[in-house]
Amino acid sequence: MKPEIEGLETGYLVSLPVAEGLVRFAFEGMEQAKSHEIEADLTTWQEIQGAGVEPFSARLNILSMSAREAYRRNLDDVYGKGGWTTLLNRACSMVKAEWQTRDPSVCLSEVAPGCGDPFLLRPWAISGPSILFGEGESGKTFFALAVARALVLGEPFMGEHWTVAGEVLYVDYEADEGTLALRCEMLGGRPKGLRYWPARGIPLHDQLPGLLRRVAKGIAFVIVDSAALACGGEPERAEHAIRYFNALSRLAVPSLTLAHVTKQDKSQDHPFGSVFWTTSARLTWNIKAEHEGQSTHLGLFCRKSNNARRPGEVGAALIFDEGGAHFEREDAWSHFGDAMGIAKRVRRLLLSKGKATTSELAKELEEKVNTVHRSLSRMPEALREGDSGKGKEVLWTIVPPKGQVP
C-alpha cells in the first residue's frame, strides 16, 4: 500500500503504511490565520493487530517544526519510539501540499441567489456576523437576550419579527447561567430553545467541535458575550480577530457578538481592538446609554451595514419595574442628539429655526463655522436665500424635495 490522503469535511485523512499495518493522521478543523500558520486538530492512531492504544489528539500548527517536535514527543510517550519524526513530517507535508493547492471555487451560475432582504430581524440581525458594541452597563446583555427570546418565542421585538425560526445558543464569557436565567426571567421568562453555553475562558476556535455538534441540532442564531474574551488573545491584534471570525464562519449560522469600547473613545465608531472587528462583521451597532431613575435610555447607531442601506439611529428605553424589564421605542434625539452626525444636527437645527446663518448655527451646535458650512454645502435641500444685508452672512434654509416631509 502507498501513502494516501483523502478529504474530510473540515480537513484531510492521511494513511501511511508501516511494517505491521497502518498509521493514520486525521487533520480536522483546519484554518489559516497567517501565512506561516496552518492549524489543525490532529488525531493519530495505529491500525496494527494487537495494538490497543487509544488515539492521541492535539492542536498543531503543521508549518511549525517546534510544534511538530512537541507532538512527536507525545507520540513517543503514547506508542513508544518508532520513527514518528519521519511519519509525522510526511503526513504534514502531504497535507500542506493539498491545502495550498485546494480549489474552493464554485460556479455562481449554479448558486442560488441570496434573499433580497438580508435582515433576519430588521434592523438588528442579518445572515452573517453582527456586532453590538458599547461601554459597560449600556444594556448589551439585556438587548441580546431580548432579541434571543423573540426568536425562540416567535414574538416581535420592538415591532419587528424574525424571518427564521429555531433555537438560540448564548456563548457566555462574562457571567454565569444563574445571572442569565435571572435576566431572562426579568424580560418575561426562560423560554425553551434558548440555550446557555458556559465558555469558561476557552477561546471560541478551541470549542468548535462541541459547538458544531450543538449547532447541528437546530441552532438558528448564536450570541457571543464577549469579543475580547472569546478571541483567545489581545483583541488589538489582527490575527486574533481573524481567527475569531474564521471560527464563526465554521458555525455557518448568523451571529451577534457583544463587544466593548474604551472610555477614551468618544466617537465610538468601532469596537475595541483591531480594525478587523469592523471589517469582518457585516453589520455593526454602537449602543449608548443614559440612566434615569428606573429606566435606561438607549441610543443605537449603525456604524456599518454591508448588505443593505445603513439603518438610521434608533432610540429605546430599557424600563425596570416590579422586578421585570422590557424595551420600548423612543425618540433617540431626546437623549442622544449630541451623538448624531454633524449633517443631521445641522439639518434639524436649521429646520427648527427656518432660516439662519452659518455662524448662528455653528454657535448653537458648538462646532466650527467651516464644519457647518461644509455640511450645508453637501446638503441638496439646503439653499442660500441671498444676503442678509450688506457685510453680513448669507442666510440658509431647508427646502425639501417636492412631496418629501421635512
Side-chain angles (χ1 to χ4, degrees):
M1 178 181 177
K2 296 180 180 180
E4 293 182 351
I5 184 169
E6 57 185 290
L8 301 174
E9 183 177 356
T10 61
Y12 303 94
L13 174 64
V14 175
S15 303
L16 300 178
V18 294
E20 303 85 357
L22 282 175
V23 174
R24 298 194 191 270
F25 298 87
F27 296 79
E28 297 181 285
M30 294 187 63
E31 61 178 3
Q32 184 168 11
K34 295 190 288 187
S35 61
H36 58 278
E37 287 185 4
I38 301 176
E39 293 203 343
D41 295 316
L42 176 55
T43 302
T44 304
W45 70 95
Q46 300 180 106
E47 294 185 0
I48 297 174
Q49 189 172 5
V53 182
E54 290 293 322
F56 173 74
S57 297
R59 190 77 177 168
L60 174 69
N61 173 13
I62 69 172
L63 300 184
S64 168
M65 294 306 296
S66 60
R68 290 191 202 180
E69 177 62 19
Y71 191 94
R72 192 272 305 164
R73 288 196 296 268
N74 282 291
L75 294 179
D76 284 345
D77 292 341
V78 174
Y79 301 114
K81 296 183 178 180
W84 287 112
T85 299
T86 301
L87 292 169
L88 180 59
N89 285 344
R90 178 176 294 178
C92 288
S93 297
M94 293 171 67
V95 167
K96 174 186 173 183
E98 286 290 326
W99 176 262
Q100 294 180 335
T101 59
R102 71 196 188 285
D103 180 7
S105 66
V106 296
C107 182
L108 286 179
S109 66
E110 300 172 0
V111 177
C115 177
D117 183 359
F119 287 100
L120 305 178
L121 175 65
R122 181 174 289 275
W124 312 114
I126 61 171
S127 53
S130 304
I131 291 183
L132 175 68
F133 65 98
E135 294 182 2
E137 298 184 347
S138 57
K140 296 187 296 294
T141 300
F142 272 106
F143 190 92
L145 288 173
V147 164
R149 292 184 74 261
L151 194 160
V152 299
L153 292 171
E155 295 179 350
F157 174 67
M158 289 201 292
E160 299 289 342
H161 283 82
W162 282 88
T163 61
V164 296
E167 296 188 346
V168 175
L169 184 64
Y170 198 105
V171 183
D172 180 39
Y173 287 82
E174 296 208 354
D176 55 68
E177 59 264 40
T179 300
L180 270 293
L182 173 61
R183 293 183 179 184
C184 275
E185 198 68 33
M186 293 173 67
L187 289 167
R190 295 163 289 151
K192 290 183 178 180
L194 176 49
R195 304 193 65 88
Y196 177 85
W197 182 284
R200 298 191 174 94
I202 304 171
L204 191 76
H205 59 266
D206 286 340
Q207 302 193 61
L208 271 176
L211 289 168
L212 285 167
R213 283 194 291 272
R214 170 47 61 187
V215 167
K217 295 178 181 179
I219 297 298
F221 194 68
V222 170
I223 298 171
V224 182
D225 186 4
S226 62
L229 298 175
C231 71
E234 298 172 3
E236 302 97 315
R237 296 180 60 177
E239 60 266 30
H240 295 147
I242 292 170
R243 178 170 291 171
Y244 174 79
F245 281 101
N246 284 344
L248 278 184
S249 69
R250 291 275 307 284
L251 296 180
V253 292
S255 63
L256 173 66
T257 299
L258 307 187
H260 295 275
V261 296
T262 63
K263 292 187 180 294
Q264 292 74 32
D265 181 7
K266 300 302 181 184
S267 65
Q268 297 190 13
D269 288 334
H270 308 282
F272 172 69
S274 165
V275 68
F276 282 93
W277 291 106
T278 295
T279 59
S280 300
R282 304 276 71 81
L283 179 71
T284 68
W285 281 91
N286 172 226
I287 183 170
K288 300 177 184 292
E290 183 179 296
H291 304 285
E292 182 182 34
Q294 294 295 103
S295 299
T296 297
H297 301 284
L298 304 175
L300 294 116
F301 303 87
C302 185
R303 302 304 192 193
K304 177 186 177 182
S305 179
N306 263 44
N307 300 331
R309 184 177 179 179
R310 185 182 298 186
E313 65 279 346
V314 177
L318 174 56
I319 300 172
F320 298 91
D321 52 2
E322 299 180 357
H326 66 278
F327 286 88
E328 291 182 0
R329 291 288 289 264
E330 65 178 18
D331 181 20
W333 281 93
S334 58
H335 294 276
F336 301 98
D338 291 343
M340 304 294 177
I342 181 63
K344 290 184 178 181
R345 292 164 58 209
V346 168
R347 187 180 191 278
R348 185 179 178 92
L349 180 57
L350 187 52
L351 279 171
S352 68
K353 296 179 76 67
K355 300 176 183 179
T357 67
T358 304
S359 296
E360 291 170 343
L361 295 171
K363 184 177 180 179
E364 288 198 41
L365 294 171
E366 297 183 353
E367 295 283 354
K368 294 180 179 179
V369 171
N370 288 344
T371 302
V372 173
H373 185 271
R374 188 162 50 247
S375 293
L376 289 167
S377 300
R378 295 173 177 173
M379 204 177 295
E381 66 270 38
L383 300 178
R384 296 168 181 261
E385 206 172 79
D387 294 338
S388 58
K390 187 175 180 180
K392 296 184 179 181
E393 289 185 75
V394 170
L395 286 169
W396 290 84
T397 188
I398 294 289
V399 180
K402 195 171 183 179
Q404 179 178 316
V405 178

